[in-house]
Amino acid sequence: MSACTTPVSQQTPMATSGPSTPTGTSLTAPPVPSPLDTAKVEQDPCSALSQAQAAQVANLTSNRKSDGNVAPICTWTDSDHNSVAIGFVPANGGLATVYKNQDNKSGYFKVAPDVGGYPAAFFGAADFRNDGGCQIAVGVKNDEVFTVNVEFQNSSPYYSDPCAISAKAAEAVVSTLKGGA
């Protein structure tokens, strides 16, 4: 990725998105079927993944919490600087906010398969999917999402399919929120 762009792991969790759907086709975000309790992880997103889950997702070994533009972010990394960042965005319109930006001309937007029974979308202000980066938003309440941003070096085995790893990490977060971690 270029030095002039913001790495996926440092992007604002609610970045705008662009189309992967035909122009003029506008989708509506589905409602969240059963809201999850996120109170414990909103200010401590590192607790959304256990060490064992992080290792299963992408051999991640350490984490660090930082202040995001909207809420705290937890970035898990490995020894090669590959990263998976998790952030919760409460009271910001939920998945509907992500969906309303689907017709922008830059970036990407694609409805993702449900994550642990919760609606999701891949999106980003810029499209780094061919460069080891992908972002997914998962609706956990009608007015709240969490995002998973991944960024892999081209030497990583995950580089060619970063969206699969963002979805895998999101599944682990939903499992934690459901109490299955």
Side-chain angles (χ1 to χ4, degrees):
M1 290 180 219
S2 161
C4 296
T5 60
T6 302
V8 174
S9 63
Q10 295 176 9
Q11 289 180 5
T12 303
M14 290 304 297
T16 59
S17 58
S20 280
T21 57
T23 304
T25 302
S26 190
L27 303 170
T28 303
V32 172
S34 178
L36 292 169
D37 181 4
T38 58
K40 293 179 187 174
V41 294
E42 285 174 357
Q43 295 304 310
D44 184 17
C46 290
S47 67
L49 280 186
S50 68
Q51 181 66 52
Q53 287 172 311
Q56 285 180 324
V57 166
N59 299 315
L60 304 166
T61 57
S62 62
N63 67 49
R64 112 185 120 71
K65 180 180 164 185
S66 60
D67 294 330
N69 292 338
V70 177
I73 296 170
C74 180
T75 304
W76 284 87
T77 57
D78 66 11
S79 60
D80 294 325
H81 306 290
N82 295 297
S83 65
V84 174
I86 301 164
F88 287 80
V89 187
N92 199 23
L95 204 53
T97 300
V98 175
Y99 269 66
K100 86 175 180 184
N101 291 311
Q102 67 185 291
D103 293 327
N104 289 349
K105 300 297 180 206
S106 64
Y108 65 99
F109 174 88
K110 181 180 178 186
V111 175
D114 282 1
V115 173
Y118 290 82
F122 296 109
F123 75 105
D127 192 350
F128 295 117
R129 292 176 292 174
N130 290 328
D131 296 315
C134 187
Q135 182 169 239
I136 191 170
V138 179
V140 290
K141 296 180 185 176
N142 286 327
D143 67 343
E144 181 171 0
V145 297
F146 72 84
T147 61
V148 176
N149 305 305
V150 301
E151 184 178 326
F152 296 107
Q153 307 298 320
N154 61 4
S155 59
S156 170
Y158 309 115
Y159 181 84
S160 64
D161 194 5
C163 291
I165 300 303
S166 67
K168 185 177 180 180
E171 285 278 351
V173 170
V174 169
S175 177
T176 296
L177 293 172
K178 288 180 173 179

